[in-house]
Amino acid sequence: MIELNSNIPAGPVEQKWDKHRFDMKLVNPANKRKYDVIVVGAGLAGASAAATMAELGYNVSCFVFHDSPRRAHSIAAQGGINAAKNYQNDGDSVQRLFYDTVKGGDFRAREANVYRLAQVSVNIIDQCVAQGVPFAREYGGLLANRSFGGAQVSRTFYARGQTGQQLLLGAYQALERQIALGKVKMHTHAEMLDVVVVDGRARGIVVRNLLTGEVTAHSADAVVLATGGYGNVFFLSTNAMYANVTAAWRAHKKGAAFANPCYTQIHPTCIPVSGEHQSKLTLMSESLRNDGRVWVPKKQGDNRAPSQIPESERDYFLERKYPSFGNLAPRDIASRAAKEACDDGRGVGPGGLGVYLDFAESIKRLGQKTISERYGNLFDMYQRITDENPYQLPMRIYPAVHYTMGGTWVDYNLMSTVPGLHVIGEANFSDHGANRLGASALMQGLADGYFVLPYTIGNYLAGVKPEKVDVTTHPAFTDAVRAVKAQGEQLLNIKGKRTVDSFHKELGKIMWDKCGMARSREGLQEALVEIPKLREEFWRNVNVPGSGASLNQSLEKAGRVADYLELGELMCRDALHREESCGGHFRVEYQEDGEAKRNDEEFAYVAAWEWTGDGQPQRLHKEPLVYENVKMATRSYK
Amino acid sequence: MRLTLHVWRQSGPNTAGKLETYPMDGVEADMSFLEMFDMLNDKLTLEGKEPIAFAHDCREGICGSCNMMISGQAHGPWKGATTCQLHMRAFKDGDEIWVEPWRAKAFPMVKDLVVDRSAFDRIIQAGGYVSVNTGGARDANEILIGKEVVDESMDAAACIGCGACVAACPNASASLFTGAKITHLGLLPQGQPERDRRALAMVEQMDIEGFGHCTLTGECQEACPKEISIDVIKRMNRDYAVAAVRYVEPKETAGAG
Ligand SMILES: Cc1cc2nc3c(=O)[nH]c(=O)nc-3n(C[C@H](O)[C@H](O)[C@H](O)COP(=O)(O)OP(=O)(O)OC[C@H]3O[C@@H](n4cnc5c(N)ncnc54)[C@H](O)[C@@H]3O)c2cc1C
Ligand code: FES
């Protein structure tokens, strides 16, 4: 049975990280090259970690299923990255970013981690600028900032609407430099399908080459997963099509506890679904809420054109309900308010599943040129998809699945319950509690990769001897390779009647209806019957064409959907057991005046689930959350 | 709407390929071009045939994965858009559409519409970075950069590495891609120390990879989904020429101290 030990250093929260850095064991510089480290994933978290560890002298191998590290899902992040620089002199500080993040997460994050995140946030901006990331600037040459939801200060750094792209290219270039220097061995088109555990420690991975189908094993002294989030379990989400849970899930089955799986973020401003053919949803960055006003008609079923609806007949519901944060209320709250308006029959557009995000007033106040400078690429994107011009008509938006706060459980050192297996970026559960604030995922990914893991992994490695394992003969490796090959063959041999996507869509619909924006005991119980049934049918009736010996995108997808069919069930079980509402987890039974009602007495803990075998329910472990610095209070944005 | 698709099918790098014809029915104007391919692939799967391999991921024009030559145009008829951003309302009932992979010696064939673009990574490896290790960077606001400069740099940095420029170029040159990186870094103060070295190494790598020479035909900037201007190539040529004259490899000084 696993044991949770968060390993939070003693002492006041402001001193924990500094003290820990001093207390941690160091690996002698000359010895670092004797240690092999495997990094799976090269998004913001993986690329920054791989590059930094290589700079420090470790022998790094990096694996991605993409054709290039530059294609990771991080590339799509639009709005920005937070840092407590206080360049705007508006009262920001490490303390305030810490406080906002703990409160934004609805008191379900670990204080010590969040404080460290706020501390290193300032170094991230320095590092990225040194790499040549072209953050937006003022005329005088200083860095510009914008505001994001859940904060009353302006601390978000951005590069037009392409912040993720520019940050990832910075990390990617640092990584390519280490590849050129021979310090990182890069494996592209390489999908990790298992973690190998030897004598209780993570000692390697099994990988399938997506072009040739070859399955190989790789050993190391430590393994790092930086494999991103699992929002695509819902089929429709803002995530890139290939983002998936497989790496984290296979690690879960090898002993890594999975924490808070039900904490998913539904982003309020996405382009609504247009039809059955829809393959993914497109985000309209939260930064738009700086200048756009959200509204619906006051009257139900009012289908006049927006310009025909006079001011007095509009309900600017965020401004009305949350006067002090207005349109910049946090995501979970803004999404729920939009859903409420639509459920009340006041939604706009096809099926009444939409609300307006209106720029008319800002365009009047600031001029079209300024608005186009700020958001031009987003407006273009919107127009291409919807064929409507947002300079003239308000945008129509609706909430969509966007981010997963849950993930692999890690301790303060970012190590999972499997010694040697570290997990960083969106793949871990660590810093955002039950709701992530905008522009904080990029911050966390780079904090983990540049400034936290490269230290903490040294502490682990200093305690183990560098030693090679022969992957061709060691039974842990040969068994794992055999199992991976067998699964591929099994999928190809079913030759059933339904496509992989049809299963994925059906699962997604169950998840969205029953484990989405509002969850009920009844719905979750139904889902817990439906998902195992669907999984059973999948393994009997899926049709995976082609062979395993070349590029086969259906086979890749089938393996990922097989994992979603297990993850989905765990998410519902987690959501059912958490009999409270907090952040993105809204249980209809637990509310007060339409706002989430937390239950700190019984649920102020991290739920970490342990795999106990195929077809068995996972075992729940609890890590209590202790708040010594921020007083637990009902979250209010009114 | 009804359409006729002619799609390049090739089972692997060493086999012969050919265009296959697929009649399509029920295509909706709101679908993206790739959603139409999803529809076709679903149909092929259910008919027991192998679906068409194509590269894609973000489906919002930023990852640079998707790459289709659509009736002779890289990424199709919409200006400033990738294949995944193209929507079917760009076409009308009865249209015939030809879909082929990027074709260039430096982009070897993988399967169907998928080609290998790893040459781009190696061009970046040659020098498309600023050599700074993590830690020790000075405060970000100590480096002042005028808004105009950073905006121009960002215009070039917007490159998504899709390779449309190569596919559209009659010489299959990678100059727009390489010039974009040289311009992004070369405009910024942080990029100055390595500017000469970078230009020489990246241009040389471009040749090693087998990309063609640029004759400034301008097809690349027409095809570029990020509308990167051919000015970046002029800048690259200038940086290269200057560096070729003045750059001297630093002497090995190990042990000198
Ligand atoms: C549209 C959009 C906009 C966003 N905007 C913002 C924003 O403005 N600000 C903000 O802070 N956050 C934003 N986010 C969230 C943020 O982008 C992500 O949380 C973050 O980029 C995740 O980074 P990562 O490094 O953890 O993972 P990813 O970038 O998802 O990278 C995962 C990596 O793992 C690899 N991988 C995964 N599984 C395997 C496997 N089995 N084998 C091999 N390789 C594997 C992939 O190849 C990839 O390299 C946005 C998200 C979306 C969807
Ligand atoms: S799929 Fe990412 S750019 Fe088209």
Side-chain angles (χ1 to χ4, degrees):
Chain A
M1 210 161 78
I2 59 169
E3 218 174 292
L4 298 181
N5 181 355
S6 59
N7 285 315
I8 299 171
V13 75
E14 305 81 25
Q15 291 164 23
K16 283 183 199 288
W17 179 232
D18 284 346
K19 188 172 167 304
H20 191 56
R21 277 198 299 175
F22 181 72
D23 290 342
M24 276 188 291
K25 287 177 276 196
L26 292 178
V27 179
N28 172 326
N31 280 341
K32 286 203 177 98
R33 68 190 144 77
K34 297 186 188 144
Y35 286 98
D36 295 331
V37 179
I38 284 175
V39 178
V40 187
L44 283 176
S48 58
T52 304
M53 289 190 291
E55 288 162 13
L56 288 172
Y58 296 111
N59 231 332
V60 179
S61 310
C62 184
F63 296 79
V64 297
F65 60 66
H66 284 100
D67 67 335
S68 159
R70 70 179 291 151
R71 311 248 189 253
H73 164 60
S74 294
I75 202 91
Q78 303 171 348
I81 176 167
N82 288 330
K85 281 285 198 187
N86 193 29
Y87 282 161
Q88 307 306 322
N89 194 28
D90 56 0
D92 201 9
S93 61
V94 167
Q95 182 70 25
R96 187 174 296 279
L97 176 52
F98 162 65
Y99 173 82
D100 286 350
T101 309
V102 168
K103 176 183 168 196
D106 216 355
F107 302 91
R108 290 293 176 266
R110 213 188 260 153
E111 269 193 344
N113 285 55
V114 178
Y115 197 89
R116 174 177 67 190
L117 176 66
Q119 278 177 306
V120 304
S121 70
V122 297
N123 305 108
I124 296 172
I125 304 303
D126 299 343
Q127 181 62 28
C128 295
V129 166
Q131 290 170 344
V133 170
F135 284 124
R137 303 229 166 207
E138 308 288 355
Y139 280 100
L142 295 174
L143 285 154
N145 288 113
R146 53 168 58 142
S147 307
F148 253 63
Q152 286 172 316
V153 294
S154 204
R155 64 160 76 97
T156 305
F157 294 78
Y158 62 100
R160 296 202 184 136
Q162 289 122 276
T163 315
Q165 180 198 27
Q166 293 311 313
L167 294 174
L168 182 61
L169 291 181
Y172 156 77
Q173 287 163 201
L175 175 61
E176 293 295 337
R177 177 172 156 246
Q178 294 304 317
I179 296 170
L181 291 169
K183 291 302 302 174
V184 175
K185 174 115 188 48
M186 188 72 217
H187 303 258
T188 54
H189 294 293
E191 181 165 35
M192 179 208 120
L193 293 174
D194 211 353
V195 175
V196 182
V197 180
V198 177
D199 299 332
R201 283 173 48 207
R203 290 304 311 271
I205 59 173
V206 176
V207 170
R208 178 171 179 269
N209 180 316
L210 299 183
L211 300 184
T212 63
E214 200 190 349
V215 176
T216 51
H218 304 261
S219 78
D221 297 292
V223 177
V224 180
L225 300 187
T227 46
Y230 53 86
N232 277 342
V233 64
F234 290 86
F235 186 74
L236 286 181
S237 86
T238 62
N239 291 12
M241 300 289 287
Y242 284 162
N244 71 80
V245 77
T246 288
W249 196 252
R250 307 275 165 113
H252 175 51
K253 290 183 161 183
K254 283 292 173 78
F258 206 96
N260 300 333
C262 80
Y263 289 167
T264 22
Q265 174 160 86
I266 315 271
H267 195 295
T269 55
C270 303
I271 302 180
V273 175
S274 75
E276 270 301 307
H277 55 260
Q278 192 94 26
S279 60
K280 76 158 287 198
L281 295 168
T282 303
L283 174 77
M284 288 286 103
S285 165
E286 175 160 311
S287 59
L288 291 168
R289 289 197 272 145
N290 272 299
D291 288 305
R293 299 178 69 196
V294 177
W295 65 276
V296 291
K298 279 188 180 160
K299 259 203 329 255
Q300 289 176 335
D302 186 343
N303 48 19
R304 285 176 291 175
S307 59
Q308 300 302 309
I309 303 180
E311 273 305 310
S312 61
E313 291 177 44
R314 298 177 176 192
D315 178 12
Y316 292 91
F317 55 87
L318 289 178
E319 296 169 32
R320 171 173 58 80
K321 295 176 71 163
Y322 309 103
S324 69
F325 280 70
N327 293 298
L328 286 175
R331 291 176 178 176
D332 52 336
I333 293 190
S335 290
R336 230 145 33 224
K339 179 178 189 300
E340 224 171 74
C342 296
D343 289 352
D344 187 32
R346 297 186 294 135
V348 299
L353 291 178
V355 301
Y356 289 126
L357 178 62
D358 196 336
F359 296 88
E361 196 196 281
S362 304
I363 292 175
K364 216 185 302 151
R365 182 163 39 90
L366 303 163
Q368 176 156 338
K369 184 162 170 286
T370 308
I371 293 299
S372 132
E373 245 179 47
R374 286 186 191 164
Y375 314 112
N377 68 323
L378 296 169
F379 278 43
D380 292 347
M381 210 191 250
Y382 181 85
Q383 183 158 12
R384 271 193 209 107
I385 294 176
T386 62
D387 208 19
E388 288 175 3
N389 179 350
Y391 292 104
Q392 284 157 11
L393 281 175
M395 284 184 177
R396 283 178 298 110
I397 53 161
Y398 196 68
V401 173
H402 179 59
Y403 181 87
T404 48
M405 283 74 69
T408 310
W409 184 90
V410 289
D411 68 3
Y412 187 75
N413 295 317
L414 306 181
M415 190 157 87
S416 71
T417 48
V418 177
L421 180 70
H422 297 74
V423 185
I424 59 177
E426 190 174 339
N428 74 24
F429 88 107
S430 68
D431 297 354
H432 307 294
N435 172 57
R436 172 175 72 78
L437 291 182
S440 287
L442 302 184
M443 169 172 72
Q444 182 226 328
L446 291 181
D448 288 359
Y450 282 134
F451 296 108
V452 180
L453 179 80
Y455 283 105
T456 57
I457 204 168
N459 188 46
Y460 170 76
L461 290 172
V464 299
K465 267 214 203 67
E467 51 187 6
K468 309 277 172 218
V469 209
D470 186 348
V471 298
T472 56
T473 55
H474 195 289
F477 281 91
T478 49
D479 287 353
V481 167
R482 203 172 309 120
V484 164
K485 284 186 182 159
Q487 195 200 44
E489 273 153 33
Q490 190 184 355
L491 287 165
L492 287 163
N493 287 335
I494 297 170
K495 300 200 193 306
K497 297 213 157 33
R498 287 182 64 179
T499 61
V500 176
D501 262 1
S502 83
F503 283 100
H504 193 183
K505 279 186 189 172
E506 190 175 335
L507 172 68
K509 188 161 173 356
I510 299 174
M511 295 302 292
W512 178 246
D513 289 345
K514 296 178 173 158
C515 197
M517 252 189 295
R519 301 152 176 195
S520 70
R521 181 172 302 118
E522 214 188 336
L524 290 165
Q525 278 165 346
E526 283 162 14
L528 284 171
V529 175
E530 289 161 6
I531 297 170
K533 257 215 220 72
L534 187 64
R535 187 168 64 227
E536 185 274 324
E537 190 192 338
F538 174 87
W539 284 106
R540 186 162 49 73
N541 196 24
V542 74
N543 178 354
V544 183
S547 88
S550 76
L551 179 61
N552 185 339
Q553 292 167 323
S554 309
L555 178 61
E556 294 163 24
K557 179 110 207 245
R560 297 169 192 164
V561 171
D563 292 338
Y564 287 142
L565 284 163
E566 294 177 354
L567 165 74
E569 185 180 353
L570 180 64
M571 289 170 71
C572 292
R573 185 163 307 121
D574 186 43
L576 181 65
H577 112 280
R578 191 167 278 281
E579 294 186 327
E580 64 163 351
S581 295
C582 57
H585 169 65
F586 189 72
R587 281 283 300 267
V588 295
E589 300 92 344
Y590 306 100
Q591 51 180 315
E592 208 160 32
D593 309 325
E595 302 290 339
K597 192 163 181 283
R598 275 198 340 252
N599 178 348
D600 294 335
E601 292 275 288
E602 288 174 84
F603 291 97
Y605 62 77
V606 176
W609 299 87
E610 178 188 6
W611 179 259
T612 55
D614 279 320
Q616 311 255 32
Q618 276 93 334
R619 185 181 296 126
L620 174 65
H621 299 263
K622 298 177 183 176
E623 178 198 336
L625 290 166
V626 184
Y627 288 86
E628 290 169 343
N629 299 277
V630 185
K631 195 170 154 290
M632 284 178 115
T634 301
R635 217 161 47 129
S636 167
Y637 292 93
K638 291 199 166 151
Chain B
M1 62 183 129
R2 284 163 180 265
L3 300 166
T4 307
L5 285 183
H6 307 282
V7 183
W8 186 261
R9 301 297 312 257
Q10 182 169 345
S11 60
N14 306 316
T15 54
K18 65 174 195 317
L19 284 165
E20 292 272 358
T21 300
Y22 303 101
M24 298 291 294
D25 199 359
V27 175
E28 289 167 40
D30 275 344
M31 281 182 179
S32 72
F33 200 78
L34 296 186
E35 282 167 351
M36 176 187 64
F37 264 78
D38 293 341
M39 184 173 140
L40 172 57
N41 274 346
D42 260 1
K43 201 167 124 226
L44 292 175
T45 304
L46 292 175
E47 287 168 2
K49 299 187 184 132
E50 211 177 319
I52 302 160
F54 64 92
H56 69 110
D57 193 12
C58 74
R59 296 208 175 184
E60 48 190 61
I62 191 75
C63 74
S65 296
C66 62
N67 59 325
M68 294 186 187
M69 201 62 162
I70 302 169
S71 300
Q73 279 178 297
H75 291 306
W78 281 5
K79 215 175 146 37
T82 52
T83 302
C84 60
Q85 290 177 298
L86 177 64
H87 276 64
M88 296 314 293
R89 74 180 80 88
F91 302 92
K92 53 181 196 319
D93 195 48
D95 275 358
E96 260 184 280
I97 308 173
W98 284 262
V99 186
E100 295 187 63
W102 285 174
R103 298 203 190 273
K105 189 172 121 214
F107 288 164
M109 163 54 76
V110 174
K111 184 174 182 176
D112 294 338
L113 301 171
V114 180
V115 297
D116 174 355
R117 287 168 285 182
S118 56
F120 274 8
D121 289 331
R122 292 187 293 274
I123 292 175
I124 298 295
Q125 276 164 35
Y129 46 74
V130 175
S131 300
V132 284
N133 286 357
T134 303
R138 58 187 167 153
D139 186 86
N141 254 349
E142 278 181 30
I143 309 174
L144 291 182
I145 310 173
K147 181 173 179 331
E148 301 81 356
V149 175
V150 92
D151 282 352
E152 202 186 332
S153 169
M154 180 65 207
D155 288 341
C159 168
I160 58 174
C162 64
C165 46
V166 176
C169 174
N171 311 319
S173 166
S175 291
L176 197 73
F177 170 80
T178 310
K181 188 48 64 190
I182 286 175
T183 302
H184 157 212
L185 296 174
L187 278 167
L188 299 173
Q190 302 92 304
Q192 296 316 308
E194 294 167 289
R195 187 165 159 190
D196 289 351
R197 218 176 123 225
R198 176 180 311 120
L200 293 174
M202 290 181 75
V203 170
E204 189 187 333
Q205 189 65 34
M206 200 165 56
D207 287 344
I208 294 173
E209 296 293 341
F211 290 104
H213 286 277
C214 170
T215 50
L216 291 175
T217 62
E219 295 289 339
C220 53
Q221 76 175 1
E222 292 306 309
C224 176
K226 298 293 139 181
E227 304 185 288
I228 291 173
S229 154
I230 198 166
D231 291 349
V232 301
I233 301 182
K234 296 179 187 153
R235 204 182 157 87
M236 170 177 83
N237 291 342
R238 209 164 51 231
D239 275 14
Y240 182 82
V242 170
V245 176
R246 75 173 177 205
Y247 183 68
V248 212
E249 279 287 336
K251 290 199 188 66
E252 282 298 331
T253 51

